[in-house]
Amino acid sequence: MGITQQIDDKLRIAFAPTHLEVVDDSESHRGHGGYREGGESHFNVAIRAPAFADMSRVQRHRAVHAALGPELIGRIHALALDISG
């Protein structure tokens, strides 16, 4: 299973989002630091879930990182997050 699918699966399980979009944006970073041939190094994630409603921006980011776990986070070079409740 690819990193894109792992991100999607983990966030769906952790937050039951009303909207989730995981985009592998690696190709637009070709030639930049952290780029890997074949992609799955740079991601944009948009997630909307009631679980985030009472969290600060920092708490939301920490919650997403915790849900993804250190092993998966360690395999990602860049993760842009758009999170709301």
Side-chain angles (χ1 to χ4, degrees), residues 8-40:
D8 189 280
D9 290 350
K10 287 178 178 273
L11 295 179
R12 287 188 190 282
I13 290 167
F15 302 109
T18 57
H19 172 78
L20 177 60
E21 184 177 6
V22 180
V23 177
D24 179 355
D25 191 37
S26 303
E27 191 57 35
S28 68
H29 296 273
R30 182 179 287 276
H32 299 164
Y35 174 80
R36 285 190 301 265
E37 198 63 44
E40 295 207 313

Side-chain angles (χ1 to χ4, degrees), residues 6-84:
Q6 289 178 54
I7 292 170
D8 189 280
D9 290 350
K10 287 178 178 273
L11 295 179
R12 287 188 190 282
I13 290 167
F15 302 109
T18 57
H19 172 78
L20 177 60
E21 184 177 6
V22 180
V23 177
D24 179 355
D25 191 37
S26 303
E27 191 57 35
S28 68
H29 296 273
R30 182 179 287 276
H32 299 164
Y35 174 80
R36 285 190 301 265
E37 198 63 44
E40 295 207 313
S41 59
H42 295 72
F43 295 91
N44 294 324
V45 174
I47 184 169
R48 309 286 177 265
F52 298 121
D54 294 327
M55 292 183 189
S56 71
R57 181 175 177 268
V58 171
Q59 289 171 322
R60 291 172 181 178
H61 281 249
R62 286 181 179 158
V64 167
H65 280 250
L68 296 179
E71 181 194 331
L72 185 54
I73 289 293
R75 295 170 48 207
I76 298 168
H77 178 73
L79 181 62
L81 299 173
D82 176 6
I83 309 170
S84 66

